Amino acid sequence: MSSIVKYSIVVPVYNEEEVIHETYRRLTEVMRSTKEAYELLFVNDGSKDRTAEIIKEYSEQDPAVVLLDFARNFGHQIAITAGMDYARGEAVVVIDADLQDPPELILEMIEKWKQGFDVVYAKRTKRKGETYFKKQTAAMFYRFLRAMTDIDIPLDTGDFRLLDRKVCNQMNSIQEKNRFVRGLVSWVGFKQIAVEYERDERLAGESKYPLKKMLKLSMDGITSFSYKPLKLASYAGVTLSGIGFIYLLVVMYLKLFTDSTITGWSSLIVIQLFFSGIILIILGMIGEYIGRIYDETKNRPLYIVREKYQLETREEVSLRD
Ligand code: UDP
Ligand code: MG
């Protein structure tokens, strides 16, 4: 179990047959220029197209290419977790397959790593070719998350980053099921630094992150790192009963000292609907936490591997199995 591989490039792929050729070409070009040993570890997250076959073909000709093939789609965060579990390199880089993250930036990351940084994360200064809605919601989310949590999660930063072996080992020991990987990396600590870049357009194909997956990721981010939503119920309760009490005084005053009476079936209904809504939202939020507690207690494996292609099994992996 020697570490002959210096760099592991972890690439999660889900239905990426349209871009995978170019991704392989550009990553190979960049990594060869380092003149050091590397591996391209593709994690196939249950693709329904030819992605896995294409990677296997590359792997036949190029020993640097290895494939971890999931039994089904487990999601991006789980795919990169598995990649980190199986990576052998002294430095591990996680990068998207669609070339939105420019592979050339890896060289800059490596430089910072050689200067002694343990985590080098890529911060987006610009996002090209993404919808206004996505950019705005993403920007809002990162700021909201920062306000909600106590740990220092950098703004506008995705999962494109380099991790030193020791950080990667720490990540591999985290057993959490609903993972928000970039938050966990911040939580682990060590010496971290940013490199900036402009996020390109997706080379081809569509985003594999529909709104539903984005919402799941956001909820994972918030619930993994904050209890504040749970406290909201008590804050709302205290505020609303305060308002209710004041209103009671007003009503009593009007009844006792004036001739006016308070009428209104409609206002009653509005208030009723409004507060039932608040109560249900809060119940739902508590449900989000309970569901996650349930996931933890079931303690299922994080992912199921169908096949390890050209990938040697390592001892550390059993840590999670
Ligand atoms: N991905 C994955 N599993 C999924 C969804 C996405 O492995 O369930 C991969 C995808 O192939 C890509 C990366 O995660 O390499 C980021 O996905 P995408 O580019 O579609 O997300 P976006 O950039 O639109 O947020
Ligand atoms: Mg993308």
Side-chain angles (χ1 to χ4, degrees), residues 56-102:
K56 282 184 185 173
E57 281 163 28
Y58 279 124
S59 172
E60 309 270 283
Q61 316 147 9
D62 181 351
V65 176
V66 289
L67 170 70
L68 189 68
D69 197 13
F70 276 0
R72 63 168 172 88
N73 179 258
F74 282 89
H76 175 230
Q77 298 290 301
I78 302 294
I80 58 186
T81 303
M84 288 180 194
D85 285 348
Y86 282 87
R88 287 169 297 167
E90 287 166 34
V92 179
V93 177
V94 176
I95 186 169
D96 281 359
D98 59 357
L99 297 174
Q100 279 195 295
D101 307 330

Side-chain angles (χ1 to χ4, degrees), residues 45-280:
D45 188 12
S47 300
K48 293 184 182 66
D49 61 3
R50 291 198 65 249
T51 307
E53 285 80 55
I54 299 172
I55 295 168
K56 282 184 185 173
E57 281 163 28
Y58 279 124
S59 172
E60 309 270 283
Q61 316 147 9
D62 181 351
V65 176
V66 289
L67 170 70
L68 189 68
D69 197 13
F70 276 0
R72 63 168 172 88
N73 179 258
F74 282 89
H76 175 230
Q77 298 290 301
I78 302 294
I80 58 186
T81 303
M84 288 180 194
D85 285 348
Y86 282 87
R88 287 169 297 167
E90 287 166 34
V92 179
V93 177
V94 176
I95 186 169
D96 281 359
D98 59 357
L99 297 174
Q100 279 195 295
D101 307 330
E104 293 70 29
L105 200 71
I106 294 177
L107 298 177
E108 224 176 289
M109 292 178 164
I110 288 177
E111 217 170 276
K112 289 271 189 283
W113 174 65
K114 287 189 168 161
Q115 286 167 16
F117 290 97
D118 303 308
V119 175
V120 188
Y121 55 88
K123 194 172 156 74
R124 306 157 182 162
T125 52
K126 245 192 212 152
R127 303 167 76 118
K128 291 187 212 154
E130 284 180 328
T131 59
Y132 179 77
F133 178 76
K134 179 144 187 172
K135 279 188 219 171
Q136 289 303 315
T137 46
M140 264 164 51
F141 169 67
Y142 287 118
R143 279 151 191 84
F144 181 66
L145 186 65
R146 206 181 168 86
M148 293 291 276
T149 56
D150 298 326
I151 57 157
D152 197 12
I153 301 176
L155 291 170
D156 305 320
T157 303
D159 289 309
F160 183 23
R161 59 185 70 213
L162 178 149
L163 308 178
D164 183 75
R165 169 64 22 218
K166 60 175 175 277
V167 180
C168 197
N169 287 347
Q170 293 302 328
M171 289 296 294
N172 296 356
S173 72
I174 296 176
Q175 300 286 319
E176 216 162 302
K177 307 285 178 218
N178 292 285
R179 304 167 81 86
F180 184 62
V181 174
R182 57 200 86 159
L184 292 173
V185 174
S186 302
W187 179 83
V188 165
F190 292 104
K191 266 178 85 177
Q192 311 213 356
I193 193 169
V195 288
E196 295 194 335
Y197 77 114
E198 289 188 5
R199 191 154 213 238
D200 285 330
E201 270 175 59
R202 176 176 254 284
L203 187 77
E206 280 168 13
S207 170
K208 307 298 180 295
Y209 252 99
L211 189 63
K212 200 173 140 213
K213 281 188 185 172
M214 292 267 294
L215 285 176
K216 161 90 169 74
L217 182 70
S218 319
M219 284 311 288
D220 284 343
I222 293 166
T223 52
S224 320
F225 292 100
S226 172
Y227 303 128
K228 280 187 190 161
L230 289 176
K231 294 188 194 151
L232 219 69
S234 2
Y235 296 148
V238 170
T239 317
L240 290 176
S241 43
I243 295 173
F245 182 70
I246 294 169
Y247 193 57
L248 176 76
L249 294 180
V250 173
V251 172
M252 275 169 58
Y253 174 83
L254 291 177
K255 176 95 183 153
L256 295 176
F257 302 107
T258 68
D259 293 335
S260 54
T261 44
I262 300 203
T263 57
W265 180 84
S266 18
S267 52
L268 209 67
I269 287 295
V270 168
I271 293 172
Q272 174 70 35
L273 283 178
F274 180 71
F275 290 121
S276 320
I278 292 189
I279 292 169
L280 288 177

Side-chain angles (χ1 to χ4, degrees), residues 23-34 38 104:
T23 310
Y24 169 74
R25 194 190 64 75
R26 284 208 13 217
L27 279 173
T28 303
E29 197 178 298
V30 167
M31 293 319 293
R32 286 204 176 141
S33 76
T34 63
Y38 68 92
E104 293 70 29

